[in-house]
Amino acid sequence: MTNQKELKKITPMEQDFAKWYTDVVKNGNLIAYGPTKGSLIFKPNSYGIWELIQENLNKIFKKKGIQNVYLPLLIPESLFNLEKEHIDGFNPELATVTHVGDRELNEKLFIRPTSEVMFADLFKNSINSYNDLPLVYNQWANVVRWEKTTNPFLRSREFLWQEGHSCHETSLEARDLVRVMIKLYAKFMKNYLAIPTIIGKKTHKEKFAGALTTYTVEAMMKDGKALQSGTSHYLAQNFAKAYKISFKNKDNGDSFVYQTSWGVTTRLIGALIMTHGDNRGIIIPPKVAPVQIDVLELFANKDPKVAKVAKTLATDLSRLFRVNLDSTNKNPGFKASNSEIQGVPLRVEVGPRDLANNQVQLIRRDTLEKELVDINLAKKRAIELLDEIQENLYFQAEKRLKERTKHVDNYEDFKQEIANQNFVVAPFCCSDDIEEKIKEETGASTRCVLLKNQVMDKKAPKRCINPGCERTTRRYVVFAKAY
Amino acid sequence: MTNQKELKKITPMEQDFAKWYTDVVKNGNLIAYGPTKGSLIFKPNSYGIWELIQENLNKIFKKKGIQNVYLPLLIPESLFNLEKEHIDGFNPELATVTHVGDRELNEKLFIRPTSEVMFADLFKNSINSYNDLPLVYNQWANVVRWEKTTNPFLRSREFLWQEGHSCHETSLEARDLVRVMIKLYAKFMKNYLAIPTIIGKKTHKEKFAGALTTYTVEAMMKDGKALQSGTSHYLAQNFAKAYKISFKNKDNGDSFVYQTSWGVTTRLIGALIMTHGDNRGIIIPPKVAPVQIDVLELFANKDPKVAKVAKTLATDLSRLFRVNLDSTNKNPGFKASNSEIQGVPLRVEVGPRDLANNQVQLIRRDTLEKELVDINLAKKRAIELLDEIQENLYFQAEKRLKERTKHVDNYEDFKQEIANQNFVVAPFCCSDDIEEKIKEETGASTRCVLLKNQVMDKKAPKRCINPGCERTTRRYVVFAKAY
């Protein structure tokens, strides 16, 4: 519960988006800061969103036959070091256990930044023949990456995630699953979090350390910046060869498996906040809202019927929804603001004046529209409104993504649109060093290479956006400033 | 999936219980060993049990208004050290992060062995007045304790648990919640895990480091040993004073809160295995079985109807139950054994001979009884049988607990009954050093002090069981060899 004195003024997002974000996460019962720098406490409102993400993704995973497992937190140094590119990608960020009590360990243990190497070890010991394939496991876990700069949900030293890992007989099958999973994430974000995304491939510079290909879903925040929201990696045989994950193939020979990994994190909570929030606080899409309906007793001291009706209504609604009843004696304005800042999608106000007409007020969090309805119709109307809110949140976000995604064909326009805080789609055939140069000049990084079926202009190849490049290309890349 | 060559012979429990346990956990798709000593991988069958424990306990917690949060994994040394008794209780077992990459940290960080001190820090910052109380939070998390000897599920260096933490205005309210929670655990274990327990208080020697009182639920394993299965602690103001968790009381003065904490761990999986398992493998109570019904196709190559009927039946059953369809072409004996070793409570065998009479076989995992039923009645019978299995497992365990709990009034009988691998209830008024002596002589430790309402002989106090003690007492203590 946010208490009365904590409810502070929120900096308008137009004035300072970063400050707005910090204000809403601190005041929306979402986070508290832990005792070490960059450490984060997930309070009930944010952990509740994560639980609903977990519950719903789990249902989808289980329908696909994906089984959950849990692997150790600590990875021995020798095991981690077997895959060179992977260790290089993580080395500066690894939290390292060297002692137990006063005793120094024989071997350093790293707190997992991801579990590819632990899964590799498990797979090596579990897989004997093609009969054991495909093997697809998922893990829900905490991971630690010692980031230099931190930002609640977006980049913190410890975060929660799911990481899926699979082994396959053929490259084709593995690549297929990589794409299935990234599409699954995009669909999940659309249907549950009401967040539209762009699916694409990461460039060589931006891909995961140890992967051959990384697919990503990129979302647009309200300030026009991009947020990488989920990834799916084709690991080929990199880990299989380093960790000797082989199997008897159908010809009775030995082959290495082909692997994938894919994950989403508590970063999705940040995505949700920055996609749907407004200057009153966050707005949580009904499907992942820990509280879907707030029932507020107003002026209960003036009419004993208020408390009774509010309770009956809350009980009735709670058969269908996650409901909170605010029966405190705080003032009505505070109660409404408190519900708004916490992003509860629908608020029902029960007060003496409306009750005299056998009515209550329903207030949508997204549009702030109020309507008076007959008490007996409140439940029916709540069902409709929650559906509408879920749809409207997606509609607004999709509209913004479309409007603020600009197609350009020269570097001047490119710079201008990036300066306008838009996503830019541009023909681009160059790689690492040019990406670095563009980032220095404009602040924008490559978010993803569009998949072939997403490219609108399929006819002629176009001149690469890099002014120093003479080539034409059909490779379209999304650039944006990013979190 | 357990593959064909892995299915090994299980050592009979009468011959070597410890070996039986290791055999069943390794072969029941429950665990694999991780790359560091004492580290454990939870495979789908054990993690699936944990997920069902989590799901069901969460429902019960949420009905009580308990909210989930998530706190950081790493605890700074300075924060941990504020509560002397607590740090002394954990010091040798703390895994310590000293470095990030090659850089040494300014302050050591401990991987949480429990989160009392992190919750204390959160509470200190969240609580201002009596209006904020009671505050009851729960966390699902991994914890690390560097145990010298390890045993899968029972004692491992990392385990999963829930830890509840609360702050209250009064001692009375806190003490009340401590008892409510231990009873909730006992009821949960009875209703979901089919495990009967004895509730009691830990002696001074056995209580939690930092608690004033520790309540415990103790279960009896099939070898007669005790397993501490859940605890609930009254922390009084120990942490509140050390961490300065104070609030404005109703008289506008400052008071320290009274606290509780309570938890159950993945140890419950070990409890379940050693309460219900037999020489064919584990037996999972239906309510927490990841797979409740295994549908086996037998001799499907001899009759095309087999595969069709099995699939239709599995689909139909899966509307009510968690169902697995084994349509592999492995031999029938292997398939049955595989289902049994994994503890699936009910097995449906679909084969050509029975199908000719429009029948299938239902086989209970607990009694191994088989019955032929008409296909159209299979679902109805499955509902009944799963209920019966859940009940029978509890009935058997409760019978054993009663039969093997012996009341004694002298030390000779005491030693004899402990040697017989029984629980012993004895009048006992002595403390730490005598408990130590009895443990050295008999191997038995005090499991708990019975609550007043559990003591059968309420009339006369009896002579303390300690031969060197002259006193009489009404304090009845349960002793047993324990895990």
Side-chain angles (χ1 to χ4, degrees):
Chain A
M1 228 21 178
T2 307
N3 73 26
Q4 199 135 358
K5 52 183 137 173
E6 276 180 328
L7 214 56
K8 285 172 196 146
K9 212 165 160 55
I10 295 170
T11 307
M13 57 169 74
E14 299 77 13
Q15 185 182 315
D16 184 342
F17 195 81
K19 186 78 173 51
W20 168 83
Y21 184 71
T22 313
D23 285 352
V24 299
V25 296
K26 277 201 297 198
N27 291 295
N29 198 19
L30 291 162
I31 68 149
Y33 292 107
T36 53
K37 189 182 163 297
S39 76
L40 197 66
I41 292 164
F42 290 78
K43 293 186 77 178
N45 207 19
S46 65
Y47 195 75
I49 295 171
W50 185 242
E51 284 183 299
L52 288 159
I53 289 175
Q54 196 169 355
E55 184 183 320
N56 287 298
L57 252 188
N58 250 334
K59 275 186 201 153
I60 296 168
F61 285 172
K62 287 190 178 172
K63 267 192 197 155
K64 296 188 90 66
I66 300 169
Q67 293 185 300
N68 288 333
V69 294
Y70 184 79
L71 273 59
L73 173 74
L74 299 171
I75 307 176
E77 184 179 29
S78 56
L79 192 70
F80 206 97
N81 286 350
L82 289 178
E83 216 285 326
K84 185 80 181 81
E85 189 182 348
H86 187 59
I87 176 101
D88 287 348
F90 282 106
N91 204 13
E93 300 173 17
L94 291 174
T96 310
V97 175
T98 57
H99 287 73
V100 169
D102 295 329
R103 189 170 57 83
E104 187 166 357
L105 295 172
N106 296 329
E107 182 177 13
K108 286 181 197 168
L109 302 171
F110 299 132
I111 299 182
R112 62 180 162 225
T114 176
S115 302
E116 265 73 11
V117 310
M118 294 300 267
F119 273 95
D121 194 59
L122 171 62
F123 288 143
K124 179 191 168 186
N125 297 323
S126 310
I127 295 168
N128 296 303
S129 90
Y130 67 89
N131 274 322
D132 302 322
L133 297 174
L135 189 55
V136 187
Y137 281 151
N138 176 60
Q139 168 172 265
W140 293 93
N142 54 343
V143 290
V144 171
R145 297 177 185 180
W146 215 258
E147 304 283 356
K148 279 187 200 74
T149 55
T150 60
N151 199 353
F153 303 123
L154 306 179
R155 199 173 290 277
S156 60
R157 289 187 172 168
E158 180 185 1
F159 58 86
L160 304 176
W161 78 347
Q162 62 70 215
E163 47 178 324
H165 297 265
S166 72
C167 291
H168 305 266
E169 230 181 310
T170 65
S171 163
L172 196 71
E173 190 183 282
R175 284 170 192 270
D176 189 46
L177 185 67
V178 171
R179 283 185 296 261
V180 164
M181 294 314 297
I182 203 71
K183 283 178 199 158
L184 185 154
Y185 289 148
K187 191 173 168 192
F188 178 79
M189 288 182 68
K190 176 180 176 178
N191 291 346
Y192 288 85
L193 307 179
I195 299 176
T197 52
I198 297 177
I199 298 182
K201 260 188 210 181
K202 285 288 178 192
T203 62
H204 175 267
K205 179 173 180 291
E206 300 284 336
K207 74 178 176 60
F208 174 67
L212 200 75
T213 319
T214 291
Y215 286 85
T216 177
V217 277
E218 299 282 326
M220 178 188 278
M221 303 299 97
K222 274 200 169 168
D223 61 352
K225 280 194 190 171
L227 185 72
Q228 175 183 308
S229 305
T231 49
S232 180
H233 312 293
Y234 173 55
L235 305 176
Q237 295 176 313
N238 285 352
F239 288 88
K241 285 177 179 168
Y243 293 86
K244 309 208 184 326
I245 314 169
S246 62
F247 65 99
K248 276 276 171 252
N249 60 35
K250 282 170 185 158
D251 305 322
N252 212 26
D254 291 308
S255 298
F256 288 112
V257 299
Y258 294 85
Q259 291 188 279
T260 79
S261 67
W262 19 275
V264 292
T265 76
T266 37
R267 181 171 248 220
L268 288 178
I269 302 168
L272 181 159
I273 296 167
M274 292 195 295
T275 299
H276 304 304
D278 65 15
N279 288 338
R280 297 186 184 214
I282 68 165
I283 304 178
I284 312 179
K287 285 194 187 167
V288 292
V291 176
Q292 296 172 301
I293 304 176
D294 246 337
V295 178
L296 312 189
E297 289 181 7
L298 303 186
F299 305 105
N301 54 340
K302 293 189 181 163
D303 182 351
K305 244 182 95 185
V306 168
K308 208 181 140 209
V309 170
K311 196 174 176 187
T312 307
L313 190 56
T315 307
D316 189 31
L317 290 169
S318 69
R319 292 200 186 92
L320 283 179
F321 302 108
R322 296 178 288 273
V323 175
N324 178 55
L325 173 63
D326 185 347
S327 55
T328 60
N329 56 8
K330 292 167 186 163
N331 77 64
F334 172 83
K335 286 176 157 188
S337 299
N338 188 39
S339 177
E340 286 175 355
I341 201 169
Q342 299 202 31
V344 178
L346 189 64
R347 187 164 93 238
V348 180
E349 295 187 349
V350 184
R353 208 171 46 191
D354 300 333
L355 270 194
N357 302 318
N358 210 36
Q359 290 179 316
V360 292
Q361 291 255 23
L362 301 193
I363 301 107
R364 291 172 67 146
R365 177 64 186 87
D366 57 340
T367 59
L368 302 169
E369 284 165 339
K370 299 183 175 205
E371 56 183 83
L372 273 170
V373 299
D374 191 277
I375 293 172
N376 301 318
L377 297 176
K379 190 173 175 180
K380 181 170 169 288
R381 193 64 190 128
I383 297 172
E384 292 164 358
L385 283 174
L386 286 169
D387 273 352
E388 283 176 31
I389 294 166
Q390 181 82 29
E391 271 176 38
N392 179 52
L393 288 173
Y394 182 76
F395 176 78
Q396 297 299 334
E398 197 190 27
K399 189 161 160 272
R400 187 172 59 246
L401 176 62
K402 279 185 180 160
E403 283 172 3
R404 296 182 67 171
T405 300
K406 307 292 184 182
H407 293 254
V408 304
D409 55 14
N410 66 76
Y411 197 53
E412 284 315 304
D413 289 353
F414 178 98
K415 284 191 285 191
Q416 185 54 53
E417 293 301 353
I418 292 293
N420 293 343
Q421 298 283 103
N422 290 321
F423 276 24
V424 173
V425 180
F428 181 71
C429 72
C430 298
S431 59
D432 299 31
D433 50 338
I434 305 298
E435 286 178 53
E436 196 56 51
K437 187 164 162 271
I438 291 175
K439 192 171 180 186
E440 276 165 26
E441 286 176 10
T442 66
S445 55
T446 58
R447 303 319 305 156
C448 60
V449 180
L450 288 183
L451 306 184
K452 287 199 186 86
N453 61 1
Q454 294 168 313
V455 176
M456 313 201 173
D457 189 349
K458 286 181 185 167
K459 296 164 199 161
K462 284 203 173 160
R463 174 80 176 264
C464 175
I465 199 78
N466 170 20
C469 177
E470 300 289 321
R471 291 182 293 264
T472 58
T473 182
R474 279 196 171 94
R475 181 180 185 254
Y476 283 79
V477 177
V478 180
F479 289 81
K481 290 178 189 163
Y483 282 96
Chain B
M1 226 19 178
T2 307
N3 74 25
Q4 199 135 359
K5 51 184 135 169
E6 277 179 328
L7 213 56
K8 284 169 197 150
K9 210 163 164 55
I10 295 169
T11 307
M13 56 169 76
E14 300 76 15
Q15 185 182 315
D16 184 342
F17 195 81
K19 186 77 173 48
W20 168 84
Y21 183 72
T22 313
D23 286 352
V24 298
V25 296
K26 277 200 299 198
N27 291 294
N29 197 21
L30 291 162
I31 67 150
Y33 292 107
T36 53
K37 189 183 163 297
S39 75
L40 197 66
I41 292 164
F42 289 78
K43 293 186 78 178
N45 208 20
S46 66
Y47 194 75
I49 295 171
W50 184 242
E51 284 183 298
L52 287 159
I53 289 175
Q54 194 168 355
E55 184 182 320
N56 288 296
L57 252 187
N58 250 333
K59 276 186 201 151
I60 296 168
F61 285 173
K62 287 189 177 170
K63 268 193 196 153
K64 296 188 90 66
I66 300 169
Q67 293 185 300
N68 288 334
V69 294
Y70 183 78
L71 274 59
L73 174 73
L74 299 172
I75 307 176
E77 185 180 28
S78 56
L79 192 71
F80 206 97
N81 286 349
L82 290 177
E83 218 284 328
K84 185 77 181 82
E85 190 182 348
H86 187 59
I87 176 100
D88 287 349
F90 282 107
N91 203 13
E93 299 173 18
L94 292 175
T96 310
V97 175
T98 57
H99 287 71
V100 169
D102 294 330
R103 187 170 58 82
E104 188 167 356
L105 295 171
N106 295 330
E107 181 177 14
K108 286 181 196 168
L109 301 172
F110 300 132
I111 300 182
R112 62 179 163 227
T114 177
S115 302
E116 265 72 13
V117 311
M118 294 301 267
F119 273 94
D121 194 58
L122 171 63
F123 288 143
K124 179 191 168 185
N125 297 323
S126 310
I127 295 169
N128 295 304
S129 89
Y130 66 91
N131 273 323
D132 302 322
L133 299 174
L135 188 55
V136 187
Y137 281 152
N138 176 61
Q139 167 172 264
W140 293 92
N142 55 341
V143 290
V144 171
R145 297 178 185 180
W146 217 259
E147 305 283 356
K148 280 188 199 75
T149 55
T150 60
N151 200 353
F153 303 122
L154 306 179
R155 199 173 290 278
S156 60
R157 289 187 171 169
E158 180 185 4
F159 58 87
L160 304 176
W161 77 348
Q162 63 69 216
E163 46 178 323
H165 297 265
S166 72
C167 292
H168 305 266
E169 232 181 307
T170 65
S171 162
L172 197 70
E173 190 183 283
R175 283 169 192 270
D176 189 46
L177 185 67
V178 171
R179 283 185 296 262
V180 164
M181 293 315 297
I182 203 70
K183 282 178 199 159
L184 185 153
Y185 290 147
K187 191 173 168 191
F188 178 79
M189 288 181 68
K190 176 179 175 177
N191 291 347
Y192 288 85
L193 308 179
I195 300 176
T197 53
I198 297 176
I199 298 182
K201 260 188 210 181
K202 285 288 179 192
T203 62
H204 174 268
K205 180 173 180 289
E206 299 284 336
K207 76 179 174 60
F208 174 66
L212 200 76
T213 319
T214 292
Y215 285 85
T216 177
V217 277
E218 301 281 328
M220 179 188 277
M221 304 298 97
K222 273 200 170 168
D223 61 351
K225 281 195 191 170
L227 186 73
Q228 176 184 308
S229 304
T231 48
S232 181
H233 312 293
Y234 173 55
L235 305 175
Q237 296 177 313
N238 284 353
F239 288 88
K241 286 178 179 167
Y243 293 86
K244 309 207 186 325
I245 316 169
S246 62
F247 65 100
K248 277 274 173 255
N249 61 35
K250 282 171 185 157
D251 306 322
N252 212 27
D254 291 309
S255 298
F256 288 112
V257 299
Y258 294 86
Q259 291 188 278
T260 79
S261 68
W262 19 274
V264 293
T265 77
T266 38
R267 182 172 248 221
L268 288 178
I269 302 168
L272 181 159
I273 297 166
M274 292 195 295
T275 299
H276 304 303
D278 66 15
N279 287 337
R280 296 185 183 213
I282 68 164
I283 304 178
I284 312 180
K287 285 194 186 167
V288 291
V291 176
Q292 296 172 302
I293 304 176
D294 246 337
V295 178
L296 312 189
E297 289 181 7
L298 303 186
F299 307 105
N301 55 340
K302 293 189 181 162
D303 182 352
K305 243 183 94 184
V306 168
K308 207 180 142 213
V309 170
K311 195 172 176 191
T312 308
L313 189 56
T315 306
D316 189 30
L317 290 170
S318 68
R319 291 199 186 93
L320 283 180
F321 301 108
R322 296 178 288 274
V323 175
N324 178 56
L325 173 63
D326 186 347
S327 55
T328 60
N329 57 9
K330 292 167 186 164
N331 78 63
F334 171 83
K335 286 174 153 186
S337 299
N338 188 40
S339 176
E340 286 175 355
I341 201 169
Q342 299 203 31
V344 178
L346 188 65
R347 188 164 92 237
V348 181
E349 295 187 350
V350 184
R353 206 171 47 190
D354 299 332
L355 270 193
N357 302 318
N358 210 36
Q359 289 179 315
V360 292
Q361 291 255 23
L362 302 191
I363 301 106
R364 292 171 66 146
R365 175 65 185 87
D366 58 340
T367 59
L368 302 169
E369 285 165 339
K370 299 184 176 203
E371 55 184 83
L372 272 170
V373 298
D374 190 279
I375 294 172
N376 300 318
L377 297 175
K379 190 172 176 182
K380 181 169 168 290
R381 194 63 190 129
I383 297 172
E384 293 164 357
L385 282 173
L386 286 168
D387 274 351
E388 283 176 31
I389 294 165
Q390 182 82 29
E391 272 176 38
N392 179 52
L393 288 173
Y394 182 76
F395 176 79
Q396 296 299 335
E398 196 191 27
K399 188 160 160 274
R400 187 174 58 246
L401 176 62
K402 280 186 179 158
E403 282 172 4
R404 295 182 67 172
T405 300
K406 307 292 183 181
H407 293 254
V408 303
D409 55 14
N410 66 76
Y411 197 54
E412 283 314 304
D413 289 354
F414 179 100
K415 285 190 286 190
Q416 186 55 53
E417 293 301 353
I418 291 294
N420 293 343
Q421 297 284 102
N422 290 321
F423 276 23
V424 172
V425 180
F428 180 71
C429 72
C430 298
S431 60
D432 299 31
D433 51 337
I434 306 298
E435 285 178 53
E436 196 56 52
K437 187 165 162 268
I438 291 176
K439 192 171 181 186
E440 275 165 27
E441 287 176 11
T442 67
S445 55
T446 58
R447 304 319 305 154
C448 59
V449 180
L450 288 183
L451 306 183
K452 288 200 186 87
N453 61 1
Q454 294 168 314
V455 175
M456 312 200 174
D457 188 348
K458 286 182 185 167
K459 294 163 203 163
K462 284 201 174 163
R463 174 77 177 264
C464 176
I465 200 77
N466 169 20
C469 176
E470 300 289 320
R471 290 182 293 265
T472 58
T473 182
R474 279 195 171 95
R475 181 179 183 254
Y476 282 79
V477 176
V478 180
F479 289 81
K481 290 178 189 164
Y483 283 97

